[in-house]
């Protein structure tokens, strides 16, 4: 590259209607061209955005009545005049432009009058009228480039070519095909020989072999560019448009669609054929034949890399993109008489071909009992007539039982070279549609295995597109989250997530979006996501009274594939909502113990609801904070181990109190100190009562399959009976009356070389106790760090030498990290990679 010969090679650009919609657009295009390095640039341009539609609309109007086109013609004139006046400074330069325009507009008006006389437009008249848009836009661009040529550092000469003088095509069954030899010699004749040249060429229009005007079909300028590229043996073709490239799906329908960096000609062709309007399907063939790469770039963001379409593409995803074809009708021809009879398909498609009906998709079961095919929706009636006529005899003789027509369908197609020979793509595709509740009416896979298409109901198309797009990881796996309870744990979680979400998105394609935060009385919602660094000020500024219905509905947004609630409260009001969340399909991640340790009825209801709604319920942090206790228990159980007993210190607070208590300081003073340093609940009785430990034990018992209620646990409360009702202060004061009793227990233990520990234990027969025990000084529970939790599993496999999980079992940082880990586990259950 970079050799003299390369510098001489043409580069071809194509600007779509959106790129030349108004005066500003022309300025942008001019600047863009001037900044191009190659000396020879050929520039194919569409009509100003909307112009072709406006012209074709005039044809329709003329067909309907006479004298109805004046207003439309005036509007076109107005638009063009305004743009010309805004762009072209000198009267002298404007005049020829406007004179030619008036002549041509007059011609168009004559043709329209003729059409309205006969109330019918011949294809040729339609083509001629539609083609003026390109003539006007290119002539204007050429004049403007000429005026601005002082800004061209390469000082290239500007010229204008009417494509009808160089492109000769012939219309066949597959659309317009180029007469290459003829076109080649015309190019040689018309293209400037200068080695520094900017040539502006009309897109869309061409001549036929009789020298009469024709077009390359709607959106045909892309094809024009590719043909010109081939004729000039260009080094590359760049299609400039209003999006960043070929995207993984239509960005209007899938906001998460991303630009496909590289794709093969085949992939691009398949995407274009199945509805990706960004490029015309026929664009590929001339470029393929000469191996010219095609770039798709955004005029409005020219420095972005865009998409590269060429013979080979870097292997990214197996699936490159997903498209839909709208307004399709599905026809099903069914009959026992078709089985084993050769030629039925032939006759069917022969009849359709004679009627000029193009079939978008065909699917025939191997039983040959039915053939199913899709046609453009507007052809539906005609197709039915044609098919019934073709098989009139068979229908009458009941060899064919049914010709069924289903209107209002769409085709959704997943496209990618990489799916060839890769098992599981179809099942993932159909599975994803199934999970999104979308009924598939027919499927087809091309034998190239580059495309799998499914026919679905039209009204499900957008949902199908989004589900499939996420299902193939083309969009990050997005999980919409509602956080309930931004207290100690909740706000720490938000802070931890703030540092990780970008990384998770980049590395694992995982997009966690906190879209709602609720306290017990207020909530804040965000359409995309709440800025995690400023959630508190967002709550302050935009908070509103809590409305659970709205909160749920917002988090469970229709357009996002997954939703989960994160409960960081200790509230039963919140845990009572879980069943309802499951019913709505919302997953639950919680640090709250209330639901799992509450009444068995509710526990059972939750499990049922979770199962029948296919939702997940994660609560690892409800026992031992971030320590893997529930997970360990499940692993043992699921691998067939027989868990005989579980025993442990499940309260960081109580661990602390008895680690510190050595008989020197009174127990009540230690409780007070611990409370002052934040080691206990605000009311230390919540810890000392043993209820918290009992709840954890219940959770583990139920994991083991034991149907225990809180009442079934024998609990030794460290809160004296008489102090249950007192205020916190009274309690703290009066606890000293019991110091002596506690000291005696300590001494008694100490004398026999034992220590006091507050232990929860559970055995497989369902006996469960929570109490202060005196344990040998060499017991593993005797040597733990201040606030550690420790859990010992005795099982068939871990008999003499039990499995022990030990570590910090309380505190906001480790608890929040545990909740975060549950969220990541949830993402994996939902099919996120990594
Ligand atoms: P131009 O006027 O430049 O020819 P078009 O409007 O014909 O532009 O095509 C570009 C438009 O195609 C985009 O603005 C986008 O809305 C739409 N589109 C549909 N599917 C895709 C896709 N898969 N990738 C990119 N754009 C797409
Ligand atoms: N102007 C034509 C159309 O609107 C061709 C093109 O834009 O590619 O179809
Ligand atoms: Mg286009």
């Amino acid at each position: 590259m970079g050799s003299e010969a390369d510098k001489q090679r043409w580069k071809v650009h194509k600007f779509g209607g959106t790129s030349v919609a108004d005066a500003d657009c022309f300025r942008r295009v001019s600047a863009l061209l001037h900044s191009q390095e190659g000396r020879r640039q050929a520039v194919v341009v569409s009509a100003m955005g909307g112009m072709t539609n406006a012209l074709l609309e005039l044809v329709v109007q003329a067909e309907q009545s006479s004298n109805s086109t004046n207003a439309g013609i005036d509007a076109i004139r107005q638009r063009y005049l305004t743009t010309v006046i805004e762009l072209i400074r000198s009267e002298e330069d404007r005049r020829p432009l406007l004179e030619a325009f008036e002549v041509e507009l007059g011609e168009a008006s004559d043709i329209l009058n003729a059409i309205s006389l006969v109330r019918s437009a011949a294809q040729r008249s339609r083509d001629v009228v539609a083609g003026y848009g390109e003539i006007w836009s290119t002539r204007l661009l050429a004049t403007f480039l000429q005026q601005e040529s002082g800004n061209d550092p390469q000082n290239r000469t500007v010229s204008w070519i009417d494509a009808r003088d160089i492109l000769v095509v012939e219309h066949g069954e597959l659309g317009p095909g180029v007469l290459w030899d003829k076109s080649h010699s015309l190019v040689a004749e018309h293209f400037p020989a200068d080695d520094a040249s900017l040539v502006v060429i009309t897109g869309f229009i061409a001549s036929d072999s009789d020298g009469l005007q024709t077009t390359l079909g709607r959106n045909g300028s892309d094809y024009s560019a590719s043909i010109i590229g081939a004729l000039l043996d260009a080094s590359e073709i760049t299609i400039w448009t209003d999006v960043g490239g070929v995207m993984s799906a239509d960005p209007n329908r899938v906001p998460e669609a991303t630009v496909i960096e590289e794709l093969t000609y085949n992939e691009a062709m398949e995407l274009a054929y199945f509805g990706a309007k960004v490029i015309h399907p026929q664009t590929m063939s001339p470029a393929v034949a000469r191996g010219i790469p095609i770039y798709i770039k955004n005029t409005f963001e020219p420095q972005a890399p865009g998409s590269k379409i060429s013979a080979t593409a870097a292997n990214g995803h197996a699936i490159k993109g997903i498209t839909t074809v709208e307004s399709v009708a599905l026809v099903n021809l069914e009959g026992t008489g078709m089985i084993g009879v050769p030629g039925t398909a032939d006759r069917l498609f022969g009849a359709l071909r004679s009627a000029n009906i193009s079939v978008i998709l065909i699917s025939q079961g191997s039983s040959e009992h039915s053939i199913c095919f899709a046609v453009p929706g507007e052809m539906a009636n005609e197709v039915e007539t044609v098919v019934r006529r073709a098989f009139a005899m068979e229908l009458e003789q009941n060899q064919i039982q049914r010709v069924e027509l289903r209107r209002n369908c769409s085709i959704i197609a997943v496209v990618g070279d990489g799916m060839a020979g890769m098992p599981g793509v179809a099942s993932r595709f159909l599975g994803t549609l199934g999970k999104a509740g979308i009924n598939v009416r027919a499927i087809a896979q091309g034998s190239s295995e580059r495309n799998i298409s499914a026919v679905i109901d039209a009204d499900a198309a957008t949902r199908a597109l989004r589900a499939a797009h996420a299902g193939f990881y083309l969009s990050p796996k997005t999980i919409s989250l509602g956080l309930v309870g931004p207290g100690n744990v909740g706000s720490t979680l938000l802070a931890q997530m703030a540092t990780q979400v970008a990384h998770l998105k980049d590395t694992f394609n995982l997009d966690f979006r906190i879209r709602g935060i609720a306290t017990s009385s207020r909530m804040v919602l965000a359409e995309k996501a709440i800025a995690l660094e400023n959630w508190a000020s967002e709550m302050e500024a935009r908070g509103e009274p809590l409305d659970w219905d709205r909160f749920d509905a917002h988090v469970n947004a229709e357009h996002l594939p997954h939703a989960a609630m994160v409960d960081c409260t200790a509230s039963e009001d919140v845990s009572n909502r879980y069943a309802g969340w499951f019913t709505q399909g919302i997953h639950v991640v919680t640090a709250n113990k209330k639901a799992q340790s509450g009444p068995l009825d509710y526990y059972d209801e939750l499990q049922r609801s979770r199962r029948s709604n296919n939702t997940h319920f994660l609560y690892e942090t409800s026992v031992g904070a971030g320590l893997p206790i529930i997970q360990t228990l499940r692993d043992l159980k699921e691998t067939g181990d027989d868990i005989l007993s579980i025993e442990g210190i499940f309260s960081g607070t109580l661990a602390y109190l008895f680690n510190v208590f050595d008989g020197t300081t009174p127990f009540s003073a230690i409780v007070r100190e611990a409370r002052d340093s934040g080691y206990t609940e605000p009311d230390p009785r919540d810890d000392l009562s043993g209820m918290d430990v009992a709840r954890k034990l219940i959770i583990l018992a139920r994991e083991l399959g034991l149907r225990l209620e809180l009442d079934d646990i024998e609990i030794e409360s460290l809160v004296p009976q008489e102090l249950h009702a007192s205020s916190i202060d009274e309690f703290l004061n009066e606890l000293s009356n019991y110091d002596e009793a506690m000291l005696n227990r300590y001494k008694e233990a100490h004398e026999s070389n034992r220590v006091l520990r507050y232990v929860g234990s559970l055995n497989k027969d369902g006996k469960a106790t929570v109490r202060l025990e005196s344990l040998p000084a060499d017991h593993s529970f005797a040597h733990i760090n201040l606030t550690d939790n420790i859990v010992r599993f005795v099982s068939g496999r871990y008999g003499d030498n039990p499995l022990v999980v030990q570590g910090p079992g309380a505190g906001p940082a480790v608890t929040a990290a545990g909740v975060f880990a549950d969220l990541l586990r949830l993402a994996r259950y939902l099919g996120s990679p990594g």
Side-chain angles (χ1 to χ4, degrees):
M1 278 294 150
S3 70
E4 250 337 274
D6 277 329
K7 286 186 191 146
Q8 287 302 327
R9 277 181 82 181
W10 288 92
K11 287 194 173 147
V12 174
H13 302 265
K14 178 260 172 173
F15 291 92
T18 44
S19 303
V20 291
D22 57 20
D24 277 342
C25 287
F26 279 83
R27 293 193 187 99
R28 198 173 292 118
V29 169
S30 160
L32 212 157
L33 287 170
H34 286 149
S35 71
Q36 298 294 315
E37 284 183 356
R39 291 204 283 258
R40 300 173 117 184
Q41 313 279 343
V43 189
V44 176
V45 183
S46 296
M48 294 171 74
M51 184 65 90
T52 314
N53 284 345
L55 289 164
L56 285 169
E57 180 55 28
L58 290 178
V59 174
V60 173
Q61 285 170 8
E63 282 183 306
Q64 284 161 359
S65 65
S66 51
N67 298 328
S68 56
T69 54
N70 290 342
I73 289 184
D74 282 344
I76 289 175
R77 175 183 288 118
Q78 211 44 55
R79 181 178 182 198
Y80 195 64
L81 285 187
T82 314
T83 319
V84 168
I85 290 168
E86 214 184 301
L87 288 171
I88 308 299
R89 280 188 301 269
S90 93
E91 195 52 48
E92 204 180 318
D93 290 341
R94 275 182 202 166
R95 201 177 314 114
L97 212 50
L98 294 178
E99 274 171 11
F101 173 70
E102 283 303 335
V103 169
E104 284 147 3
L105 196 60
E107 286 168 10
S109 172
D110 289 346
I111 300 172
L112 291 167
N113 285 336
I115 291 174
S116 76
L117 279 178
V118 293
R119 293 284 197 280
S120 151
Q123 186 57 43
R124 194 173 303 284
S125 314
R126 213 183 288 271
D127 284 351
V128 172
V129 174
Y132 284 115
E134 269 67 12
I135 298 179
W136 298 331
S137 64
T138 49
R139 213 190 264 128
L140 172 54
L141 180 63
T143 308
F144 184 64
L145 285 170
Q146 183 68 55
Q147 170 186 297
E148 301 296 306
S149 53
N151 295 327
D152 183 359
Q154 310 221 34
N155 205 17
R156 290 165 282 212
T157 54
V158 178
S159 50
W160 176 75
I161 292 180
D162 181 339
R164 291 173 297 186
D165 295 335
I166 53 170
L167 280 193
V168 187
V169 302
E170 212 171 41
H171 287 273
E173 263 191 28
L174 299 174
V178 182
L179 298 181
W180 290 103
D181 291 343
K182 217 163 180 175
S183 301
H184 254 299
S185 47
L186 289 169
V187 161
E189 196 179 309
H190 284 87
F191 260 71
D194 326 22
D195 80 339
S197 204
L198 262 178
V199 184
V200 182
I201 307 145
T202 53
F204 185 47
I205 54 177
S207 293
D208 66 14
S209 41
D210 299 327
L212 295 169
Q213 182 189 324
T214 183
T215 72
L216 302 180
R218 291 310 309 269
N219 278 305
S221 298
D222 298 338
Y223 189 25
S224 308
S226 168
I227 298 170
I228 304 276
L231 289 169
L232 294 173
D233 191 27
S235 59
E236 61 185 51
I237 298 165
T238 306
I239 308 238
W240 296 90
T241 181
D242 64 341
V243 280
V246 182
M247 307 196 63
S248 51
D250 182 346
N252 297 310
R253 306 180 69 173
V254 181
E256 286 84 15
T258 51
V259 172
I260 306 171
E261 285 167 29
E262 290 188 23
L263 57 171
T264 62
Y265 293 123
N266 285 331
E267 288 171 330
M269 193 143 51
E270 207 87 27
L271 284 170
Y273 179 73
F274 280 94
K277 148 169 175 241
V278 66
I279 187 158
H280 186 276
Q282 272 167 315
T283 309
M284 265 28 88
S285 48
V288 178
R290 282 159 193 80
I292 305 171
I294 302 174
Y295 296 87
I296 313 282
K297 292 176 66 120
N298 189 346
T299 319
F300 302 85
E301 208 189 333
Q303 62 296 341
S307 299
K308 179 183 182 186
I309 305 173
S310 61
T312 55
N315 245 346
H317 286 288
I319 302 298
K320 286 289 176 65
I322 306 179
T323 51
T324 52
V325 186
E326 295 305 310
S327 55
V328 163
L330 190 66
V331 186
N332 193 28
L333 181 70
E334 205 174 297
T336 38
M338 285 159 58
I339 299 175
V341 180
T344 314
D346 236 28
R347 264 173 66 202
L348 170 65
F349 295 115
L352 292 170
R353 186 171 337 108
S354 322
N356 227 341
I357 294 164
S358 75
V359 175
I360 313 176
L361 164 157
I362 305 169
S363 152
Q364 176 174 31
S366 55
S367 75
E368 299 183 43
H369 171 234
S370 69
I371 301 180
C372 179
F373 59 96
V375 293
E378 70 270 14
M379 296 289 197
N381 289 336
E382 202 182 334
V383 170
E384 189 169 17
T385 317
V386 168
V387 175
R388 286 192 181 279
R389 203 186 305 128
F391 292 96
M393 203 173 77
E394 286 83 351
L395 279 162
E396 189 162 327
Q397 295 174 352
N398 204 30
Q399 284 160 326
I400 286 182
Q401 281 90 32
R402 244 191 301 282
V403 178
E404 231 176 354
L405 185 70
R406 183 179 291 279
R407 292 167 209 276
N408 298 326
C409 292
S410 292
I411 298 176
I412 172 167
V414 295
V415 172
D417 284 351
M419 71 166 94
M422 178 171 164
V425 175
S427 79
R428 178 183 288 274
F429 180 41
L430 299 176
T432 314
L433 294 181
K435 272 188 210 148
I438 291 155
N439 186 23
V440 173
R441 304 212 170 269
I443 53 169
Q445 172 170 34
S447 59
S448 70
E449 293 191 47
R450 188 175 295 124
N451 167 333
I452 303 175
S453 315
V455 180
I456 57 177
D457 289 341
D459 53 13
T462 301
R463 202 151 43 92
L465 203 51
R466 288 180 181 175
H469 196 264
F472 284 105
Y473 312 127
L474 296 177
S475 8
K477 171 88 37 182
T478 306
I479 306 185
S480 169
L481 297 174
L483 181 118
V484 187
N488 267 340
V489 172
S491 64
T492 309
L493 174 64
L494 291 172
Q496 290 176 354
M497 290 183 78
T499 66
Q500 291 302 310
V501 282
H503 168 73
L504 289 172
K505 198 164 166 183
D506 292 347
T507 319
F508 300 111
N509 215 21
L510 182 59
D511 188 6
F512 279 134
R513 293 192 198 165
I514 302 264
R515 299 179 62 251
I517 298 180
T519 67
S520 55
S521 61
R522 311 214 16 107
M523 65 178 186
V524 61
L525 306 177
E527 197 34 59
K528 180 122 196 269
I530 294 168
L532 295 178
E533 305 77 18
N534 317 324
W535 69 268
S537 46
E538 290 270 298
M539 181 68 113
E540 185 82 35
R542 297 195 299 107
E544 43 189 324
L546 176 61
D547 171 345
W548 277 118
D549 289 343
R550 273 187 57 219
F551 189 77
D552 294 359
H554 180 85
V555 171
N556 195 22
E558 168 80 32
H559 67 283
L560 297 173
H562 308 285
M565 293 291 181
V566 185
D567 178 6
C568 296
T569 72
S571 153
E572 229 161 316
D573 288 342
V574 179
S575 66
N576 283 336
R577 308 197 65 82
Y578 296 174
W581 285 337
F582 291 147
T583 314
Q584 297 171 65
I586 303 174
H587 310 285
V588 175
V589 173
T590 183
N592 183 352
K593 292 180 268 293
K594 292 288 159 49
Q596 309 85 284
S597 61
L600 263 173
D601 284 350
Y602 185 55
Y603 183 83
D604 291 340
E605 183 192 335
L606 281 184
Q607 300 302 342
R608 262 197 311 274
S609 173
R610 173 186 69 74
R611 240 176 263 126
S612 63
N613 293 292
N614 246 325
T615 41
H616 297 280
F617 184 25
L618 295 105
Y619 44 84
E620 177 64 84
T621 50
S622 58
V623 181
L627 298 179
I629 294 174
I630 295 177
Q631 194 54 49
T632 303
L633 187 160
R634 288 186 184 164
D635 287 347
L636 292 177
K637 207 177 129 189
E638 281 160 19
T639 56
D641 202 352
D642 181 23
I643 300 176
L644 304 172
S645 70
I646 303 173
E647 211 179 355
I649 295 176
F650 294 99
S651 157
T653 311
L654 292 163
Y656 173 83
L657 295 178
F658 290 99
N659 270 323
V660 173
F661 184 44
D662 61 0
T664 54
T665 314
F667 188 70
S668 64
I670 296 174
V671 171
R672 194 186 285 275
E673 265 172 40
R675 179 175 185 267
D676 291 345
S677 6
Y679 284 146
T680 72
E681 294 294 315
D683 185 343
R685 283 171 293 189
D686 292 344
D687 299 303
L688 292 169
S689 70
M691 278 310 282
D692 174 68
V693 176
R695 284 189 181 279
K696 291 171 179 164
L697 212 55
I698 285 281
I699 295 175
L700 296 181
R702 291 179 181 172
E703 287 297 316
L704 271 187
L706 297 169
R707 298 185 54 78
L708 292 191
E709 295 273 16
L710 270 178
D711 285 349
D712 299 324
I713 298 189
E714 205 179 287
I715 305 172
E716 180 193 359
S717 168
L718 300 181
V719 181
Q721 191 61 42
E722 306 73 51
L723 300 186
H724 274 296
S726 17
S727 70
I728 297 181
D729 279 335
E730 279 165 6
F731 165 72
L732 285 170
N733 290 333
E734 303 202 1
L735 188 61
S736 55
N737 298 336
Y738 302 84
D739 279 339
E740 200 176 319
M742 190 57 95
L743 184 61
N744 287 337
R745 284 182 82 167
Y746 173 81
K747 282 185 179 150
E748 203 179 305
H750 192 66
E751 276 156 19
S752 47
N753 202 20
R754 296 169 88 89
V755 298
L756 294 180
R757 291 291 181 261
Y758 196 74
V759 175
S761 26
L762 172 72
N763 71 26
K764 74 180 264 194
D765 303 325
K767 182 170 164 47
T769 56
V770 170
R771 63 186 175 211
L772 190 62
E773 292 188 11
S774 99
L775 303 174
D778 60 356
H779 191 281
S780 55
F781 294 0
H783 311 280
I784 56 173
N785 288 322
L786 273 187
T787 60
D788 270 4
N789 281 14
I790 181 165
V791 184
R792 219 164 65 124
F793 295 91
V794 179
S795 71
R797 287 185 202 131
Y798 295 93
D800 302 338
N801 188 11
L803 174 62
V804 172
V805 179
Q806 177 184 355
V814 293
T815 310
V819 174
F820 200 172
D822 267 352
L823 276 170
L824 290 168
R825 203 165 297 145
L826 171 68
R828 272 197 298 280
Y829 292 154
L830 296 176
S832 182

